[in-house]
Amino acid sequence: MAFEGLAERLQGTIQKIKGKGKVSEQDVKEMMREVRFALIEADVNLKVVKEFVKKVSERAVGVDVMQSLTPGQQVIKIVQDELTELMGGEQSPIKFNTKPPTVIMMVGLQGAGKTTTTGKLANILRKKYNRKPLLVAADVYRPAAVQQLQTLGKQLSLPVFALGTDVSPVEIARQAIELAKEEHHDVVIIDTAGRLHIDEDLMQELKDIRALKEPDEVFLVVDAMTGQDAVNVAESFNEAVGITGVVLTKLDGDTRGGAALSIRSVTQKPIKFVGMGEKMDALEPFHPERMASRILG
Ligand code: GDP
């Protein structure tokens, strides 16, 4: 489970400082040394670790006796607040267009979980937001991606727009948006092509789809288990095509949490959802505060 390693690593340090009725500068220093090691071990971006440690240290050194919390508890609360802030503070909701259809583009590298997440997202949109989504199979390069989305659509009883693999993704997206208008689908989710690595063609194609109708959301799907690679991928996509949010998949298998802790700070873009398994109901909104609590146990 996510952050297992980090939580375990921090247990001792937290217990030690929690009970303290007085917290000296030395105590803070010692704790932050442990926190720094733990974050680095969790594969958090080094610059992010440095800034985080600096912020917490500055605030923690000043703590005094308050009515309800011991100084030790206050220090823990500061760490928790700053971890929450690091992951974006508030939960970031989906942005819907006031004039339907809302267009959501799913982008990412092959294998990150893009097609699966497209299905999961449609499922949430229907169940929790009462929307009528249309799924669009525009990943024409990965063998079987189109079929995979059609299978998911069947499983979820949701319509999938597909034109095979010989039509260009831009044309597929264009026709799908037209159809959505005609048939009153209020959300269009476009599963765009993923490649094995970031290249010019991929980025150009995404830009071309973007140009059809400005999407309301561009969700980058990245695999949490790839750690700092996921952060680099997010930076590249954001620079090249512009993303509005991140879906972090496979958090169920990521014991470290480095990507979850670094992406927001590095890209300034929020993590909107996290994938917690392969099933269609295993997508959850990302709650920074809950994640921070999980880390601190
Ligand atoms: P795409 O190439 O990006 O479209 O990737 P797929 O959607 O085909 O997913 C690749 C693999 O990752 C599949 O076996 C999925 O079942 C799996 N997968 C996707 N999301 C998650 C997740 O959140 N957790 C786990 N454990 N597996 C996932």
Side-chain angles (χ1 to χ4, degrees):
M1 187 54 92
F3 301 125
E4 222 169 59
L6 187 55
E8 205 174 291
R9 185 81 161 76
L10 288 175
Q11 259 315 309
T13 316
I14 288 165
Q15 287 312 326
K16 208 160 114 193
I17 201 133
K18 216 175 198 169
K20 282 199 188 280
K22 248 172 97 185
V23 178
S24 68
E25 210 170 319
Q26 190 56 32
D27 291 333
V28 171
K29 241 189 198 154
E30 268 172 35
M31 177 187 75
M32 290 320 288
R33 196 172 54 224
E34 289 295 320
V35 170
R36 194 175 69 227
F37 281 141
L39 291 175
I40 290 171
E41 221 172 75
D43 193 29
V44 178
N45 175 289
L46 282 181
K47 202 166 147 246
V48 173
V49 174
K50 224 171 152 182
E51 277 167 21
F52 178 81
V53 167
K54 186 163 170 265
K55 255 194 208 160
V56 174
S57 302
E58 276 168 11
R59 284 185 62 192
V61 166
V63 297
D64 212 341
V65 185
M66 269 194 334
Q67 312 85 333
S68 52
L69 296 177
T70 66
Q73 285 167 334
Q74 288 178 56
V75 172
I76 300 301
K77 183 158 186 335
I78 292 170
V79 175
Q80 176 149 6
D81 287 351
E82 292 295 339
L83 277 176
T84 305
E85 211 42 50
L86 188 64
M87 290 184 281
E90 300 273 292
Q91 201 265 320
S92 176
I94 299 178
K95 205 176 126 224
F96 291 104
N97 201 320
T98 46
K99 208 170 150 258
T102 292
V103 175
I104 302 177
M105 260 175 88
M106 307 296 287
V107 305
L109 295 181
Q110 220 173 75
K114 194 167 44 54
T115 303
T116 308
T117 304
T118 302
K120 287 176 178 176
L121 185 61
N123 194 27
I124 284 190
L125 284 168
R126 182 183 49 189
K127 271 195 179 154
K128 299 222 170 99
Y129 295 84
N130 217 6
R131 305 273 163 162
K132 222 182 124 202
L134 176 67
L135 300 173
V136 184
D139 184 354
V140 298
Y141 302 110
R142 180 164 67 84
V146 172
Q147 209 190 345
Q148 186 185 339
L149 195 65
Q150 284 173 320
T151 305
L152 291 177
K154 239 183 228 138
Q155 196 185 318
L156 296 166
S157 300
L158 284 171
V160 175
F161 183 84
L163 293 174
T165 53
D166 295 331
V167 181
S168 83
V170 181
E171 181 55 24
I172 295 172
R174 193 188 66 73
Q175 291 193 28
I177 293 169
E178 283 310 308
L179 183 79
K181 283 180 195 157
E182 281 165 27
E183 294 190 351
H184 306 291
H185 293 283
D186 48 13
V187 187
V188 178
I189 314 177
I190 307 171
D191 184 21
T192 66
R195 302 275 165 90
L196 288 173
H197 53 86
I198 295 165
D199 61 37
E200 275 295 306
D201 290 347
L202 169 63
M203 292 305 181
Q204 191 53 49
E205 192 169 283
L206 296 176
K207 284 183 209 164
D208 292 344
I209 295 177
R210 253 203 107 123
L212 288 172
K213 179 182 186 297
E214 185 56 27
D216 303 283
E217 296 276 18
V218 180
F219 287 161
L220 172 72
V221 180
V222 283
D223 177 345
M225 281 162 62
T226 61
Q228 289 313 294
D229 276 347
V231 181
N232 295 335
V233 167
E235 243 188 323
S236 304
F237 270 87
N238 193 33
E239 275 166 23
V241 278
I243 60 172
T244 60
V246 174
V247 179
L248 203 55
T249 61
K250 310 185 197 180
L251 203 65
D252 50 313
D254 173 34
T255 54
R256 302 210 287 172
L261 283 163
S262 314
I263 279 183
R264 169 64 194 234
S265 175
V266 172
T267 63
Q268 298 301 313
K269 293 294 153 70
I271 298 173
K272 298 241 182 182
F273 290 95
V274 287
M276 299 298 287
E278 297 192 80
K279 297 224 176 79
M280 279 299 106
D281 59 358
L283 187 71
E284 300 173 6
F286 182 73
H287 290 283
E289 203 181 329
R290 286 185 211 162
M291 285 290 164
S293 306
R294 193 185 278 182
I295 294 170
L296 295 179

